[in-house]
Amino acid sequence: MDAYLIATILILLSGLFGYINVRFLKLPNTIGLMILTILFTLGILLLSNYDPTLLNLEKSIISKIDFKKLLLDEMLSFLLFAGALHTNFDQLKIQRWPILLFSTLGVLTSTFLVGIAMFFVLQLINLEVSFIHCLLFGALISPTDPIAVLGILKKAGVPKKLETKIVGESLFNDGVGVVIFLTIFKIAESGTANVSVTDVLTLFGQEVIGGIGIGVVLGWITYRLLKSIDDFDIEVIITLATVMGGTVLCHKFHLSAPLAMVTAGLIVGNDTVREHAMSTTTEKYVDKFWELIDILLNAILFVLIGMEMLVLVIEGKFVLAGLLAIPICLICRYASLFLPVKIFEKKLDFVKNTNVIMTWGGLRGGISIALALGLSTSMERDLFLVITYIVVVFSIIAQGLTVDKLVKRLKE
């Protein structure tokens, strides 16, 4: 099965499930697509008792797709650039310090809290897992997913100040979270004796600072190019070239492509840059083009998340661990946000119950699943993949469907 056929099937399913959702379910697209794909996959599993043709086809598609590579190395750059392009830069500038703490200290704190809690919980249900592997799970589940967050918050009626915090955090914390994950992965693979503090700081500095740095350069070059011409179709192509070329550069020099694309997107989407570099027509076409890219890739991503349940190794203890991980992840997220919220809540006039809303509105998504798929067998891949899938599905469906109701209740 070639790449074109696989892409065709994924887009056909996205279009079909998207239609059913809009016509009948009327749920947010990300939630509706994932629910319908999970139901579709369960239906195929049941049907396979009589005719395994469709199950074999779906398994063939999943086996040909490297979900981790597809999402982290290819799709994520487009999705983050599109998200950053439409983020309110002025509000982000005002909220920059709490967002910085949420996406760095918050993710790091959550990683260790989740890792410690899961280590003891897994011992209680007779699953012997080493502490470093539990920390790996903490690292992959702690970043909130900008793709899931952006799609659902638009319809949740979250106050703009708070929406900026949640969206800003999710845009940056996945890049930081991936670096933390890679660092712990390296320690788990090589052993603590073979990884020095200098190695960790070098990796963090290269990925994070290097990624943001190249993002600034790419954003500035794109701005200068857009400013020097007035031709909307070529200007749209320039923004696309920025994302594709920038991603290749980041991979070549081992820099964080997600952070680079967020930075470039924020610069190009800045109102001042728009005013000086884009005509009204160009601005309209650039926005519409990236909205379409965002919608299409989101649809494909959540169909893939639903299909990934075929790779799960279902065991009773694994499912129990996944169910126990849901409250653990929520409690640890609340605790990791506590200090940053307390530091800035009076100075920046935080919305009432900011911590509660950010805890429930901080959704997990495809990034966590992609990282879990990247674990080796010796790192308890099967166990942590099941746990991650359960947490992600709960997050997107249960939290995603109720965050608007929570916001309304807490605002009253």
Side-chain angles (χ1 to χ4, degrees), residues 155-366:
K155 298 185 179 181
V158 175
K160 281 295 174 187
K161 286 192 296 185
L162 183 51
E163 183 183 331
T164 302
K165 292 183 188 70
I166 299 174
V167 170
E169 177 206 11
S170 66
L171 284 171
F172 284 101
N173 74 4
D174 66 297
V176 174
V178 169
V179 175
I180 293 171
F181 174 84
L182 291 173
T183 304
I184 298 173
F185 188 96
K186 189 175 180 180
I187 294 170
E189 205 172 35
S190 308
T192 51
N194 299 315
V195 180
S196 66
V197 175
T198 306
D199 292 333
V200 172
L201 292 176
T202 301
L203 176 64
F204 191 84
Q206 181 179 339
E207 289 273 351
V208 175
I209 299 170
I212 293 172
I214 199 170
V216 170
V217 173
L218 288 168
W220 183 81
I221 291 172
T222 305
Y223 158 66
R224 297 300 301 179
L225 291 172
L226 297 179
K227 188 180 179 182
S228 63
I229 61 172
D230 184 14
D231 189 309
F232 69 85
D233 46 1
I234 298 301
E235 290 177 77
V236 169
I237 293 171
I238 287 170
T239 62
L240 181 60
T242 296
V243 175
M244 297 181 76
T247 302
V248 170
L249 272 176
C250 287
H251 293 158
K252 175 73 175 173
F253 296 104
H254 303 289
L255 310 174
S256 174
L259 290 174
M261 290 308 108
V262 168
T263 307
L266 288 172
I267 291 171
V268 176
N270 182 0
D271 287 341
T272 305
V273 171
R274 286 172 177 265
E275 186 180 332
H276 289 91
M278 299 185 205
S279 65
T280 305
T281 304
T282 297
E283 191 173 352
K284 176 184 173 184
Y285 274 88
V286 167
D287 283 344
K288 290 298 178 187
F289 173 80
W290 283 103
E291 279 178 25
L292 180 60
I293 292 288
D294 190 32
I295 291 165
L296 176 62
L297 293 184
N298 257 301
I300 293 170
L301 173 61
F302 281 89
V303 165
L304 278 171
I305 290 175
M307 293 172 73
E308 285 294 329
M309 68 182 295
L310 285 177
V311 305
L312 302 180
V313 177
I314 304 297
E315 290 186 18
K317 284 185 179 179
F318 290 7
V319 174
L320 175 60
L323 294 173
L324 292 172
I326 293 170
I328 287 172
C329 290
L330 288 170
I331 292 166
C332 291
R333 173 158 171 81
Y334 182 90
S336 70
L337 295 172
F338 185 80
L339 184 59
V341 169
K342 282 297 176 188
I343 291 172
F344 292 104
E345 65 179 346
K346 290 183 180 177
K347 184 179 178 182
L348 292 176
D349 189 27
F350 276 23
V351 173
K352 188 180 177 185
N353 296 306
T354 287
N355 204 342
V356 176
I357 297 171
M358 286 191 70
T359 297
W360 198 251
L363 310 180
R364 274 78 176 191

